Amino acid sequence: DAGVIQSPRHEVTEMGQEVTLRCKPISGHNSLFWYRQTMMRGLELLIYFNNNVPIDDSGMPEDRFSAKMPNASFSTLKIQPSEPRDSAVYFCASSAPGIRPQHFGDGTRLSIL
Amino acid sequence: KNQVEQSPQSLIILEGKNCTLQCNYTVSPFSNLRWYKQDTGRGPVSLTIMTFSENTKSNGRYTATLDADTKQSSLHITASQLSDSASYICVVLNYGQNFVFGPGTRLSVLP
């Protein structure tokens, strides 16, 4: 069975541009999580969805960040406009119902110049 | 304040040796504690999940312990292998589904 699939794997763009990260969770998982990881701050939870509904977005840094989950098999994280301080690795993870492990994708390495 | 601390920050051991990583937390009300392994350039991989009533849980050469009274957990790696070189992250969840991440321990296993 395929794991969590993220695209693109790498993204380099200039500040001010819109960036869209994509995630396909594991089939049958009902929770989806977006994380950001930097050397300085480690792993940070940005937002998570349960059954396609955003449950907690308190980790979203500011209004420039938005996330959607239009259906159970797809989610996007958008940054508009992007800034150099947004440079990080962004991970998507999904999990089945209950106290179950999260399965992470391999991340998108984002560089904002 | 909900917080997770890990020690040591980094560790170097020789292949075949055992090691123990520590995690202390102040998260409440406690729901469960998770250990993840993260290889360089990859996403974290779950090793164990422990709830309040579980003291020990094993996953191959990895054994996690939990002392809910002292709010401490440890991850013991037996007979280390080169492939164990990675960052190990402790994560604690409360009943509000708040995830609190530790900063991780960077383990290097040398031949």
Side-chain angles (χ1 to χ4, degrees), chain B residues 4-43:
Chain B
V4 174
E5 297 176 344
Q6 291 187 244
S7 62
Q9 186 175 16
S10 61
L11 181 63
I12 301 174
I13 62 173
L14 293 177
E15 187 179 11
K17 298 296 186 183
N18 303 336
C19 67
T20 300
L21 313 180
Q22 299 290 340
C23 172
N24 297 336
Y25 61 92
T26 58
V27 179
S28 66
F30 176 86
S31 172
N32 62 88
L33 184 146
R34 305 169 181 222
W35 282 96
Y36 286 89
K37 176 189 178 190
Q38 185 175 22
D39 293 319
T40 301
R42 304 298 300 275

Side-chain angles (χ1 to χ4, degrees), chain A residues 29-45:
Chain A
H29 285 191
N30 71 328
S31 294
L32 183 139
F33 307 81
W34 281 102
Y35 293 90
R36 178 172 68 177
Q37 188 174 40
T38 61
M39 290 292 291
M40 290 294 294
R41 300 172 67 93
L43 258 178
E44 302 173 281
L45 177 64

Side-chain angles (χ1 to χ4, degrees), chain A residues 23-96:
Chain A
C23 175
K24 178 179 169 56
I26 293 173
S27 177
H29 285 191
N30 71 328
S31 294
L32 183 139
F33 307 81
W34 281 102
Y35 293 90
R36 178 172 68 177
Q37 188 174 40
T38 61
M39 290 292 291
M40 290 294 294
R41 300 172 67 93
L43 258 178
E44 302 173 281
L45 177 64
L46 300 177
I47 184 171
Y48 79 90
F49 296 83
N50 209 37
N51 295 321
N52 311 341
V53 176
I55 301 301
D56 183 359
D57 65 354
S58 60
M60 296 285 262
E62 48 198 275
D63 292 345
R64 297 184 296 106
F65 286 68
S66 63
K68 294 182 179 180
M69 192 165 187
N71 57 62
S73 59
F74 184 66
S75 177
T76 60
L77 178 67
K78 189 171 293 188
I79 308 172
Q80 166 65 11
S82 59
E83 296 182 4
R85 60 193 168 119
D86 302 330
S87 297
V89 181
Y90 290 81
F91 288 103
C92 175
S94 68
S95 67

